[in-house]
Amino acid sequence: MKTYSIVCAIVLAAMMFSGCSGGKEEKAEEKAAADTAQTAVVVEKIIVDDFNTGTKPNKLGGDLGAWDKDPKDETQTCIMTYDSAVKNGDSGYSVRLDYDVESPNPAYNGFWMKLENLNAAGYKNLVLFVRGDAEKGFTQKFKVELKSAKETGSYIVTGVNEAWQKIVIPLEKFVGLTDRSALTEMVIVFDDTNSTEKFGSINIDDIYFE
Ligand SMILES: [Ca+2]
Ligand SMILES: [Ca+2]
């Protein structure tokens, strides 16, 4: 009985000792990993979506789709499709947005994508690739919004043309958005005041933060 107690005590002490020293090592490793991640966040880009799977969700795990101001108003609408014929790069898809803001009523619609509370505090720019459809026509101007739970920042993209263009928007240009630590959504808006063509089609691809 006495021997048994001593063995127990030794085993217990050994377990505590190994537990303690192991814990310290793990903490040191965790800290090193966290330091690396913080440094990395400044230099790497984070892809929101390249649409190359042709399905939802986006690369952040967020839902996406087209939206209408008033779904019952048939004079205005935006339809989203994955487009394998027109894309930035050699393979995959882009997103095609067929919009119509030609209406007797105030009209706006577009495209939305959830950002899953992305922390964009360490990034400088939002980048997206844009191309207008020469056959159907397109607006040279549209609005991009970035949202958090409390704020909405907006920026007007101009100069859209028939070739793929890389649009680089400094995050500080999103007027109205001061805290970028938990972004909830990115929205593209076609409206009857900014649109240079009230009916047309635009392709979007390769959206990322850098
Ligand atoms: Ca693509
Ligand atoms: Ca219409």
Side-chain angles (χ1 to χ4, degrees):
M1 196 65 182
K2 202 176 179 184
T3 316
Y4 176 72
S5 300
I6 291 165
V7 170
C8 274
I10 291 168
V11 169
L12 195 64
M15 278 169 72
M16 283 171 72
F17 180 73
S18 70
C20 278
S21 64
K24 266 182 204 160
E25 271 167 32
E26 268 168 36
K27 281 205 180 114
E29 274 168 28
E30 273 170 28
K31 192 175 178 301
D35 288 350
T36 311
Q38 264 182 353
T39 318
V41 107
V42 180
V43 292
E44 273 180 16
K45 69 179 182 185
I46 184 153
I47 296 171
V48 178
D49 212 352
D50 58 16
F51 307 108
N52 286 347
T53 61
T55 55
K56 299 194 252 184
N58 63 32
K59 287 272 191 287
L60 303 176
D63 200 3
L64 55 97
W67 62 275
D68 289 329
K69 174 206 159 215
D70 180 1
K72 287 183 204 146
D73 183 352
E74 288 178 3
T75 67
Q76 52 178 300
T77 187
C78 183
I79 296 163
M80 176 211 124
T81 46
Y82 287 99
D83 188 346
S84 62
V86 177
K87 68 261 179 185
N88 185 45
D90 297 332
S91 61
Y93 299 81
S94 73
V95 147
R96 178 185 171 97
L97 303 172
D98 288 290
Y99 70 92
D100 176 359
V101 290
E102 197 171 53
S103 166
N105 310 314
Y108 44 94
N109 51 50
F111 172 72
W112 57 274
M113 215 161 33
K114 295 290 182 190
L115 299 178
E116 306 296 287
N117 292 315
L118 174 73
N119 182 354
Y123 296 97
K124 274 165 63 182
N125 304 313
L126 173 70
V127 178
L128 62 154
F129 285 74
V130 178
R131 179 189 189 271
D133 183 338
E135 231 169 84
K136 190 173 170 183
F138 57 92
T139 176
Q140 292 163 18
K141 272 167 76 178
F142 62 86
K143 196 195 293 179
V144 181
E145 293 176 341
L146 278 182
K147 296 183 179 185
S148 67
K150 290 182 183 160
E151 297 179 318
T152 297
S154 61
Y155 178 86
I156 306 284
V157 171
T158 58
V160 178
N161 62 40
E162 296 166 17
W164 280 110
Q165 263 190 95
K166 182 183 180 181
I167 309 287
V168 179
I169 311 170
L171 294 179
E172 65 209 21
K173 295 267 173 87
F174 282 90
V175 179
L177 184 72
T178 57
D179 181 357
R180 300 188 283 267
S181 65
L183 299 181
T184 53
E185 196 174 16
M186 184 196 122
V187 182
I188 285 174
V189 183
F190 302 111
D191 63 46
D192 52 5
T193 51
N194 281 306
S195 296
T196 59
E197 294 285 338
K198 291 187 170 44
F199 179 86
S201 178
I202 277 193
N203 283 69
I204 307 275
D205 209 347
D206 294 317
I207 303 175
Y208 58 89
F209 289 87
E210 65 174 15

